[in-house]
Amino acid sequence: MTNRQFSSAPVTLLVAGAPAPEPCLPAARPPGPLDAGAVRAALAGTSARPRRAAERPGRVPEFVLVELHRAYQPETLRAALRTVVPEAAGRLPADLLWQRTVDGPDGLDRVLMELGRSLAAGPRLRAVLVEDGRDGTPDGGRDGGRRLFVGVAPGPLARAVGVLEELREALAHPPTPVTVPTSALQRELLSQVIGTAEPGGRHVEQLSWNWHGPLDTERFTAAWQSVFDHETVLRAAFDWDEDGTDDPWMVLHEHAAPEVTRHRHGVSDWEDLLAADRRRGFDLRRPALLRTTLVDAPPDAEEGPGTRVLLTYHHAMLDGWSVRLLLQSFYRAYLTGGVLPGGERRPDLRDHARWLAGRSTDAARQFWSTRPAATAVLPLAPDPRRRGSGRARRRLTPYEAVRLRGWAAAWGAGESSALQAAWALLLYRAEQTDRPRRPARAVRVGFAVTVSGRGIPLDGVDRLPGALRNPLPISVRVQPSTTVPQLLAALRDGVLDLSAYEWVAPGQAHRWTPGTRGQRPNSLVVLEHQPAAAHHLRLETDLAAHGIHVESPVPAGTLTSYPITLAAHYDASGGLVLTTTHDRALLADRDAAELLNQSAHLLRCFPDLPSGLGTTEVLRSTLAGQPAPRLGEHAGTDADGAEPAAPAVRLDVLRRAARPGAGWVLLLPPPGAPHTRYPGAARGWPGPQALGVLRPAGDDPTPAAYRAALGPLVESRTPIALVAPPGLGVTACEIARLGAPAHPPLVVLLDEEVDVTAVADLLGGLPRRR
C-alpha cells in the first residue's frame, strides 16, 4: 500500500524504535522495542513537517498510531490497556482491544481507518491485533502474521507520549492474574479428566433448542460477548502443576471471547454433530468453557426461518441451573441490541470460594460418620472390548407425568422421590436375582442423587452461576414388606438430611462414611433443577415482538463419573423425559436399556398400585416376565463380541391388578399386530385381574420361547388366563402346557374378533379354582 493510497486515513504511523519522517506504512521497518525517547523524537519529527493542508470543517483530526513488533498475548495486552485507561473499567473490554483478520493491505487499510473513526468518537486509547488471513507471511515470523497497532486519540503530543510510556510500563510489568481456589467437587471432577484421553467427552453437557424467527449472527455473538463481560465464571479457566503437588486452581481472565459457529442446513447430520461436539471436549486451561453452535433449518420449513441452537459446556465450571441463568441474561442482551446493562454479577465464584474457605468440616464429618453404608449397589459387568458411551431415552406423556406428580404429592413427596424409589426397587431386584433360590431379605441399597448446591446461607446464591450441582451418596433399607409409600418417605427424608451439607463433595462423604471399604455408589439419579424464571414470560413477550419464539432447552445427557446416570427433565409439553447415559466398558447397552425401560414402567405403574403392597408383591405385579439384569454374571456380549439377542417374548403390562392374587389375563396378539392394538382397551378393562400382552420379538416364536416371560407368573401360583384370537388356539394350548401341571393356565379361545373387555364377563362367570 502506498502513502497516496493511505492518505485518506487520518493517521500518523510510527514504527517503534525508528523515527518516521512522514506518514508511511511500517511493513519494511525492522522490529524494535518501544522506546520512550524514540517515541518523543518521532512524534516531534512528524509534527514539525508541514505536510498537511488546512483542515476542512468537519474533518477528523489525526491521531497517533504505533505498531508494536513484540508478540504479546491478547490477555496481557488487554490487562495493560485497562491499566492505562482505568476509566474504561466500566466499558466492554472488547472496546479496548480489537482482534481482526485481514487479507492483504487493503484489508489492513480498512481496519486502521475503522480504528481512526472509533478514536474520533472520544475514547483515549484503542488497540487492534491484526492477523494475516493468508497462508504464511512473507517474513515467516513466528507470530503467524500478527501485528499490533495502538492508537492514541487526538490531542497534544505530550499526552500521546505519556500514554505510550504508561503502556510500555504496563507491558513490562504485567499484572498478576487473579486466582481462585477450586472447590472439593471441582477437584474431584478435574482429577477424572486431567491427563486422560476422553473420547466420550466426560462431564461435557449439551443443551439444544429450536429458535423460530430471524437470528442475526453478529447480534447473537455480541449478546454472548456482553454476557461474558458481565460473568466472571465465563472468563475463568483452570490451571494446575503437572507434577500434581498442588491442587488445581481457577484463573480469572480479563477477557474471553464467545465461540459461535454457524452451519448451513445439510452440512452435517444432527446426531453426528452432537457426537463430534462431545468428543471435542474443552481445553480446560483456556477460558470460555461454553460454546454455541447454530444449524440453519431447511429453507422451505413451514414455520419460516429457524435455527437449531446447541450450547455445550463443562460441568467442572457450570451446571444446568447456571446455564439457564446465563440464557436469561443472553436473551435480555439480544433484545437490547447485544449490550447488557450494568456491571459484573455479584456474588460470583470468588464469593462462593470465600464462603467455602470459611466452612468447618467437623459437623459434616460427624453427619456422614453416622450414615449407614450401602450393602448393595448396581452390579456391573466390565468388558474392555466395549468402548465409548451409550444413550437411551424414554418419555412419560404429560398425562402420565401429572398422575405421577399428583400421586407422589399425596404421600408428601415429589417426583424426584418417585424416580429414586423406582431406581431403589431395581437395585433391590438385581440383588435378589443374584441370590437364586434363597428367601428374600432386607437390603440397604445405595446410589447417588444430585442436590442443587444452592441450599447454603450465601446471599444471592440462587442467582450465582458456577459448578454447584453436587452428586451425594444416599442409601435406603428395603425389605420384602416395605411399601412404596414407605420407600418414598425414607428417600424424601434422606435427601432432606443432605440439604445442610450440599457443599460436601461426594469423595469426602464417602471417606467419612463408616464401613464403605472402598466401594462407592456406581449409579446416579438426577432430576434437573431449574431456577425460577420470574421474568420468563416477559422475555417471551419481548422476543415475540421481534418475531422470535424460542423453545425450552433439552439436555442431551452427559457421561459422568458414574457407570450409569438416570436423568429426568420436563419437556415443553409437560412430558417427563428419562435419559440414561452409561459407560459401555462397564455396562452393556442391553442392560442399560432394560434398566431405563423398567424405570419408566414402574413410574407409570406407581399411581395404580395398592398402597399396602410390599416390595416383593410390587415387583411381582409390575415386572413379572421382564428380565432382571444379572449384571454381575455375564459380560454383556457373546464370545464373538456381539450383543446378546433380545428376549424372544416380552410381557407388556397394560393394567395393574385391583387386588393381590386377582390373577392375570394375558393376550396373545395375532402375527404382525401393531403395538397399538391393545393399550387402548386397558383403560376400559373392568376385571380385577392384571391385563398384559405377550409380545413376540419375531414373527413366529416357538411355544418354548414364552417360558421366560410366563415362568415367574406360574411360580407365583396366581390364576392365569391366556386369551388367543382366531388361528392361535393350538399355540395357546402348547404355551399353557409349559405351566405347572397342578395349576396350568386357563386358555380362552375367541372364535372371532371381539372387544377384549368382554373377556372379563366370561372370566367372572367361571368358578374360582383352588
Side-chain angles (χ1 to χ4, degrees):
M1 190 189 324
T2 65
N3 295 334
R4 191 174 68 82
Q5 291 173 316
F6 195 69
S7 60
S8 60
V11 299
T12 299
L13 289 177
L14 170 70
V15 181
E22 60 181 15
C24 62
L25 284 178
R29 300 286 184 177
L34 179 62
D35 180 73
V39 168
R40 287 195 183 91
L43 290 175
T46 55
S47 63
R49 285 184 72 91
R51 59 175 184 78
R52 293 184 297 177
E55 293 187 0
R56 296 187 300 271
R59 179 179 177 182
V60 178
E62 292 186 345
F63 66 93
V64 177
L65 185 65
V66 177
E67 181 181 11
L68 303 184
H69 289 273
R70 182 178 175 186
Y72 292 101
Q73 293 299 322
E75 280 306 313
T76 303
L77 291 168
R78 205 175 302 274
L81 291 168
R82 288 175 70 94
T83 302
V84 174
V85 191
E87 63 267 22
R91 298 176 181 268
L92 296 180
D95 287 342
L96 292 175
L97 178 66
W98 301 353
Q99 292 182 251
R100 299 287 191 270
T101 300
V102 302
D103 189 0
D106 293 340
L108 178 61
D109 192 1
R110 288 192 296 270
V111 169
L112 296 181
M113 292 178 66
E114 180 187 5
L115 184 67
R117 287 192 294 268
S118 172
L119 285 170
R124 179 185 180 191
L125 181 69
R126 285 292 182 271
V128 58
L129 188 63
V130 178
E131 189 159 353
D132 196 335
R134 297 168 297 182
D135 295 332
T137 56
D139 56 0
R142 60 185 180 91
D143 298 338
R146 271 188 177 183
R147 302 172 69 179
L148 176 69
F149 297 91
V150 179
V152 183
L157 293 179
R159 190 191 71 169
V161 172
V163 169
L164 293 173
E165 286 183 338
E166 292 179 28
L167 178 60
R168 182 194 62 173
E169 185 67 19
L171 289 172
H173 303 89
T176 304
V178 178
T179 60
V180 177
T182 51
S183 66
L185 173 63
Q186 288 177 309
R187 291 193 291 272
E188 290 185 15
L189 295 178
L190 292 173
S191 67
Q192 298 157 13
V193 297
I194 291 178
T196 61
E198 290 292 337
R202 193 177 297 273
H203 299 303
V204 173
E205 179 63 287
Q206 297 167 305
L207 290 177
S208 62
W209 66 97
N210 290 323
W211 176 299
H212 303 284
L215 191 154
D216 185 332
T217 307
E218 292 187 5
R219 186 174 181 177
F220 188 96
T221 305
W224 271 119
Q225 181 64 71
S226 184
V227 176
F228 272 55
D229 296 335
H230 283 73
E231 301 290 353
T232 309
V233 69
L234 293 179
R235 305 193 305 273
F238 296 102
D239 203 357
W240 56 87
D241 293 326
E242 296 296 342
D243 56 7
T245 54
D246 294 323
D247 291 331
W249 60 90
M250 286 183 285
V251 181
L252 307 187
H253 295 261
E254 287 286 333
H255 175 77
E259 179 182 340
V260 178
T261 306
R262 190 160 191 170
H263 298 284
R264 299 189 307 275
H265 172 69
V267 171
S268 177
D269 177 74
W270 178 252
E271 293 300 327
D272 293 341
L273 180 66
L274 286 177
D277 185 68
R278 279 195 301 268
R279 288 193 301 269
R280 177 187 169 190
F282 286 94
D283 182 356
L284 298 179
R285 293 184 187 267
R286 298 174 63 89
L289 299 183
L290 178 147
R291 61 174 175 264
T292 308
T293 305
L294 307 175
V295 180
D296 292 334
D300 56 348
E302 296 181 358
E303 299 83 0
T307 309
R308 201 162 189 181
V309 185
L310 174 63
L311 197 65
T312 308
Y313 60 96
H314 202 283
H315 271 166
M317 191 65 76
L318 294 165
D319 56 20
W321 181 295
S322 304
V323 172
R324 286 170 173 82
L325 287 176
L326 298 175
L327 275 177
Q328 294 177 21
S329 299
F330 161 76
Y331 288 136
R332 288 198 297 270
Y334 191 88
L335 288 169
T336 54
V339 178
L340 193 64
E344 290 188 349
R345 183 200 297 269
R346 299 304 290 263
D348 63 3
L349 50 82
R350 291 168 289 187
D351 303 293
H352 183 253
R354 192 178 301 112
W355 184 89
L356 286 177
R359 297 305 95 197
S360 171
T361 60
D362 293 342
R365 188 187 300 269
Q366 175 66 24
F367 170 80
W368 290 105
S369 65
T370 61
R371 311 304 294 175
T375 58
V377 296
L378 183 69
L380 301 175
D383 189 340
R385 294 175 295 180
R386 300 190 301 255
R387 298 182 180 275
S389 61
R391 286 167 175 78
R393 180 163 290 184
R394 299 291 181 271
R395 180 178 181 269
L396 271 63
T397 65
Y399 171 74
E400 294 169 335
V402 169
R403 290 187 70 226
L404 176 67
R405 188 163 59 248
W407 168 81
W411 294 105
E415 57 268 49
S416 60
S417 297
L419 185 67
Q420 295 158 13
W423 195 253
L425 288 174
L426 293 180
L427 298 187
Y428 175 82
R429 185 174 186 237
E431 198 277 341
Q432 298 299 324
T433 305
D434 284 342
R435 304 172 62 252
R437 300 183 182 85
R438 294 184 185 179
R441 62 173 185 176
V443 176
R444 180 168 288 278
V445 298
F447 51 97
V449 298
T450 55
V451 293
S452 69
R454 289 169 170 82
I456 60 176
L458 175 64
D459 289 340
V461 69
D462 59 324
R463 304 292 299 174
L464 189 157
L468 275 70
R469 192 185 78 172
N470 194 9
L472 291 176
I474 191 173
S475 65
V476 61
R477 181 178 173 84
V478 184
Q479 49 189 349
S481 60
T482 302
T483 64
V484 175
Q486 290 173 340
L487 192 57
L488 278 178
L491 288 165
R492 176 202 61 202
D493 295 344
V495 173
L496 287 175
D497 290 341
L498 301 179
S499 60
Y501 306 100
E502 293 188 0
W503 51 274
V504 173
Q508 292 174 314
H510 171 74
R511 291 192 299 271
W512 297 337
T513 303
T516 52
R517 295 192 302 275
Q519 177 174 294
R520 298 191 183 193
N522 51 16
S523 57
L524 173 64
V525 178
V526 179
L527 180 64
E528 293 291 343
H529 301 90
Q530 297 192 25
H535 306 291
H536 182 69
L537 182 60
R538 180 178 175 182
L539 283 173
E540 284 189 345
T541 304
D542 292 342
L543 287 169
H546 290 74
I548 299 171
H549 169 67
V550 292
E551 298 178 359
S552 298
V554 177
T558 180
L559 180 63
T560 66
S561 57
Y562 295 87
I564 183 170
T565 298
L566 173 65
H569 73 274
Y570 284 98
D571 59 17
S573 62
L576 186 63
V577 181
L578 307 179
T579 305
T580 55
T581 310
H582 66 281
D583 188 341
R584 287 194 174 110
L586 300 174
L587 197 65
D589 288 344
R590 184 193 70 174
D591 294 327
E594 196 63 49
L595 289 168
L596 176 61
N597 292 335
Q598 294 179 16
S599 298
H601 185 62
L602 283 172
L603 294 176
R604 293 188 181 102
C605 294
F606 278 165
D608 295 324
L609 289 175
S611 59
L613 282 187
T615 300
T616 302
E617 284 298 324
V618 168
L619 293 173
R620 183 178 297 163
S621 62
T622 56
L623 299 180
Q626 299 191 30
R630 302 181 67 174
L631 308 178
E633 295 189 2
H634 64 79
T637 56
D638 297 330
D640 59 357
E643 288 287 336
V649 177
R650 180 186 183 90
L651 173 60
D652 287 351
V653 181
L654 305 180
R655 186 69 180 267
R656 304 295 99 214
R659 62 176 183 273
W664 286 82
V665 174
L666 303 178
L667 308 175
L668 298 178
H675 280 57
T676 58
R677 183 181 181 86
Y678 292 120
R683 291 191 291 271
W685 174 249
Q689 302 90 349
L691 185 65
V693 181
L694 290 171
R695 296 193 186 278
D699 294 334
D700 190 18
T702 63
Y706 289 80
R707 187 185 303 276
L710 199 59
L713 302 183
V714 174
E715 294 175 3
S716 67
R717 303 175 67 85
T718 58
I720 301 174
L722 294 176
V723 181
L728 289 181
V730 176
T731 301
C733 292
E734 292 178 350
I735 294 173
R737 296 191 183 99
L738 299 174
H743 302 280
L746 178 68
V747 177
V748 179
L749 303 179
L750 303 178
D751 57 359
E752 59 182 2
E753 286 291 334
V754 297
D755 188 352
V756 295
T757 58
V759 178
D761 298 332
L762 175 63
L763 295 177
L766 295 177
R768 181 176 295 183
R769 295 186 299 171
R770 298 185 180 275

